[in-house]
Amino acid sequence: MSAIFTPTPPRKLSMLRLTLLLATLTLTQSAPAAPLSGDQYFKRSCALCHSTDAAVSAGAGPGLAGIFGRALGAAPGYNYSDALRRAGAGGKRWDAAMLDAFLDDPAKAVPGTTMPLNVPAKAERAALVAYLGTLAAGTPAVAAAGAMQWVEDAPGKVHHLDARDLPAPYASASAGNSPKVVPRPEGAMPRVPAGFKISLFATDADKGRSMIRAPNGDVLIAAPGKGQIKLLRSSSGERAETVSVFAGGLDRPYGMAFYPSGGNPRYLYVATLNQVVRLPYSRGALTAGAAPQVVVPALTVGSGGHTTRTLAFSADDKLLFVSIGSASNVATGMPAAPPQPLADWEREHGVGAAWGDELDRAAVLAFDPEGGHRHTYATGLRNCVGMIVYPATGELMCSVNERDALGDQLPPDYVTRVANGSFYGWPWYYIGAHEDPRLAGRRPDLKSKVRMPDVLLQAHSAPLGMTAYVRPEGARHPFPQEYEGDLFVALHGSWNRATRTGSKVVRVMMKNGVP
C-alpha cells in the first residue's frame, strides 16, 4: 500500500492529539459514578502523557515521580517552557498548594506555561494532588541523544511511504523528546509554495484547539481549557477584527458541526468531554438566552486518555458522527476478555471493539441528529482527531494518531476513508496485519479483518485538523485548479522520536475521491 503526501515546513499548531471513534448507542439512565481515587484519576486522565516510574522518564509531558519538593521546570530530559523554568529558578517548588493552583488554572498559576488542560473539579484535583504526593523520587533517566533539527522538508516535497518497508518493532529505542515552545520571532512565518502568501489571521492566548467556519464567514474556535467557544469575525477575510466569547461554561469543548449542514443552520453541535450538546443558532448568533440542549448525555464510561471528540454530519444530515480517542496507548491494562461472550460483544459493539476502560473508545460512533439510534460505525482507530465527510463522495474520512513506544519510525500515522463496519487494528494490530508485540497472540482471529489505511504519514507526526479544499463561490484568490478536492492536514509534531518531525501542514492528493 503506497502513501503520498506533500508537506510544507514547520509551524506551531497548539492542538491535542485525538483518536477517532464513531458509534451509535442506546442510552440508559445510570446512578452518578463514585468519585475517582487519585491513582484512578491519574490513570484515566494523566498517564497518557506523564510517567510515574522511578526513572522520572519524560513522555509527552515530564515524569512526575518525586514531584513534591522539586523546583518547577526541573525534571530531567524534558524541554520546559521558559515560564516554568523561570518560576523554578525564582524559588518556586511543587507542593500541595502549588500543584492545586496549577491544576486549577495553569495559565494563572504560571503565566506563559504551555500546559493545555486543567482539572476543574475540586474533589478530583485534591485526590490527584494527594496521589502525586505519594510518589517517591527515583534516579533520573538520561535522555537519549538525538538530533534536534527538523527534517529537511520544504513546500512541494513529496513523500512516499510503503507499508512493505516498515521496520521491525523496537528497531530504535523509544524516545521522550518534546519540543520547547518559545515566542514567535518578529516576522517569522511558515514557508508556503510559490504563488501563495501567508498572513496572521488572529492570535489566541487561550490555546484554542479546533476551528469551524460558519456560513456567514465567522470562525469559531473551541478553547477546552477555558470551557469556551470563541467567535472571530472579519470583514475582509484576511484578519479578525473582533474576538469574542460565543458560548461558555462547557466541559472541555472540542468538536463542532453545524446542522443542517447546508447554508442556513439552526444549531451548532458541540462535543464536550463526555456529551454532545447543541446551541440554537441563526444568522451568525446564538438565540438570545438559550441554554445548551443535551443531545447525547453520555459518550463513554470514562473521561481519561484522549480528551478530544470530533463531530461531523453525513452528507444527507441523517447521521451525526462522533470520534473518540483511546483511553491509553495500547490497552495493556484491559481485561483479557470482554464482559460477555466475544461474538455477542462484537455484534453489539463492532468487530475488534475494545472493552473495560476502552469501551466505545478508539472508534467512531453514529447517532441520529436527536441523539438516538446509537451504534458503532468503525473501530480500531486509536485517535481520529481530524474527521470530515468528503464533499465529492460523502465518504467519512479520518486523520489518525497511531500508538507510541515502538520506535522512531513505527507505526506510521495515517489518513483514510472510513467504511461502515470497518476495523483498523487498534490495539492488537497496526497498518494492516502487523501485530503489536505487547499484545502478541491475544486476537489472532482479527488478523485478516484489519482494513489497510489509504495514506501513511511519517510516524509520530500526530495529524490533527483536516479539511478538503473546495473553491468557494466568488473567491477572490482561489487556489489553482490542481488543488481542487485535495486534503490539507495539520500535523502537531512529534515527541516520541529521537529526531523530531515538526509541526507542518501537508497536502494529500486525491483522485476520483480516493487518496
Side-chain angles (χ1 to χ4, degrees):
M1 173 65 71
S2 298
I4 298 176
F5 64 100
T6 306
T8 64
R11 176 178 182 180
K12 175 62 189 170
L13 296 171
S14 177
M15 288 183 157
L16 290 179
R17 292 186 290 173
L18 178 64
T19 307
L20 171 62
L21 170 60
L22 292 183
T24 323
L25 304 173
T26 300
L27 300 172
T28 59
Q29 293 281 51
S30 59
L36 295 177
S37 64
D39 60 332
Q40 289 173 327
Y41 187 89
F42 183 88
K43 178 183 176 183
R44 289 195 175 186
S45 299
C46 311
L48 204 62
C49 294
H50 299 278
S51 74
T52 59
D53 60 71
V56 202
S57 58
L64 299 180
I67 188 172
F68 272 38
R70 182 200 303 165
L72 272 63
Y78 187 76
N79 283 312
Y80 285 97
S81 64
D82 286 340
L84 272 170
R85 289 200 181 278
R86 283 194 301 266
K92 287 191 176 183
R93 292 185 173 272
W94 294 114
D95 58 18
M98 185 67 213
L99 266 173
D100 181 76
F102 186 77
L103 293 172
D104 181 31
D105 189 340
K108 181 178 179 181
V110 183
T113 180
T114 54
M115 174 69 174
L117 292 175
N118 62 339
V119 183
K122 186 175 182 179
E124 291 177 340
R125 201 164 61 244
L128 179 58
V129 169
Y131 168 68
L132 293 175
T134 69
L135 302 178
T139 303
V142 177
M148 296 298 179
Q149 77 276 10
W150 304 104
V151 294
E152 295 180 356
D153 273 331
K157 187 171 183 179
V158 177
H159 294 264
H160 178 186
L161 281 72
D162 194 313
R164 294 170 296 187
D165 299 330
L166 296 183
Y170 311 120
S172 56
S174 183
N177 187 20
S178 292
K180 177 183 177 181
V181 178
V182 298
R184 181 173 62 90
E186 183 67 29
M189 297 293 283
R191 291 173 294 166
V192 292
F196 286 77
K197 74 172 185 176
I198 188 166
S199 60
L200 185 66
F201 182 72
T203 58
D204 176 27
D206 292 328
K207 303 180 179 69
R209 297 292 174 182
S210 64
M211 295 187 296
I212 188 173
R213 185 179 182 276
N216 69 348
D218 289 343
V219 175
L220 298 173
I221 296 181
K226 290 291 184 179
Q228 296 175 340
I229 305 294
K230 300 286 192 67
L231 186 151
L232 282 62
R233 184 160 284 169
S234 171
S235 59
S236 66
E238 295 185 3
R239 188 175 182 90
E241 289 105 14
T242 62
V243 179
S244 60
V245 176
F246 183 77
L250 302 170
D251 185 11
R252 298 191 188 180
Y254 185 82
M256 297 173 285
F258 284 107
Y259 176 83
S261 56
N264 189 26
R266 300 192 307 273
Y267 294 101
L268 174 69
Y269 280 63
V270 180
T272 66
L273 187 61
N274 204 26
Q275 292 185 328
V276 177
V277 301
R278 66 186 180 190
L279 302 162
Y281 177 92
S282 177
R283 296 185 179 89
L286 286 172
T287 301
Q293 304 170 6
V294 176
V295 177
V296 181
L299 288 171
T300 67
V301 294
S303 58
H306 295 104
T307 59
T308 53
R309 287 74 170 105
T310 310
L311 300 182
F313 277 100
S314 61
D316 60 7
D317 282 334
K318 291 182 179 179
L319 287 179
L320 169 65
F321 299 113
V322 184
S323 69
I324 306 176
S326 66
S328 63
N329 181 39
V330 68
T332 48
M334 188 170 65
Q340 64 191 88
L342 185 59
D344 294 339
W345 180 263
E346 291 195 335
R347 271 194 295 272
E348 183 176 343
H349 296 279
V351 173
W355 52 85
D357 284 349
E358 302 291 352
L359 173 64
D360 293 332
R361 306 292 296 258
V364 174
L365 306 179
F367 306 80
D368 66 35
E370 300 300 319
H373 297 91
R374 175 175 180 150
H375 61 275
T376 304
Y377 191 83
T379 54
L381 297 149
R382 180 178 174 268
N383 189 13
C384 166
V385 189
M387 180 174 66
I388 65 169
V389 170
Y390 189 65
T393 64
E395 287 189 286
L396 188 70
M397 301 192 74
C398 280
S399 62
V400 176
N401 289 246
E402 255 294 352
R403 65 206 76 191
D404 295 315
L406 286 180
D408 272 9
Q409 306 295 343
L410 204 69
D413 296 324
Y414 59 87
V415 172
T416 190
R417 294 166 294 166
V418 177
N420 188 16
S422 54
F423 169 60
Y424 289 84
W426 190 91
W428 299 279
Y429 296 89
Y430 60 88
I431 313 300
H434 295 86
E435 188 174 39
D436 192 303
R438 295 163 291 192
L439 299 173
R442 300 276 188 93
R443 292 297 304 273
D445 58 302
L446 291 174
K447 186 171 184 177
S448 63
K449 299 177 182 178
V450 183
R451 187 182 179 100
M452 180 70 77
D454 289 318
V455 171
L456 307 185
L457 306 176
Q458 189 174 21
H460 311 301
S461 293
L464 298 175
M466 176 169 64
T467 190
Y469 181 77
V470 177
R471 181 180 300 209
E473 186 176 347
R476 289 180 296 163
H477 305 291
F479 286 11
Q481 182 60 37
E482 61 264 28
Y483 287 85
E484 186 71 18
D486 286 351
L487 303 178
F488 288 87
V489 185
L491 306 185
H492 174 287
S494 64
W495 69 266
N496 193 217
R497 294 174 58 93
T499 301
R500 295 193 191 113
T501 181
S503 301
K504 64 192 80 171
V505 176
V506 299
R507 172 189 174 201
V508 177
M509 280 78 81
M510 302 287 289
K511 184 175 182 180
N512 299 324
V514 179

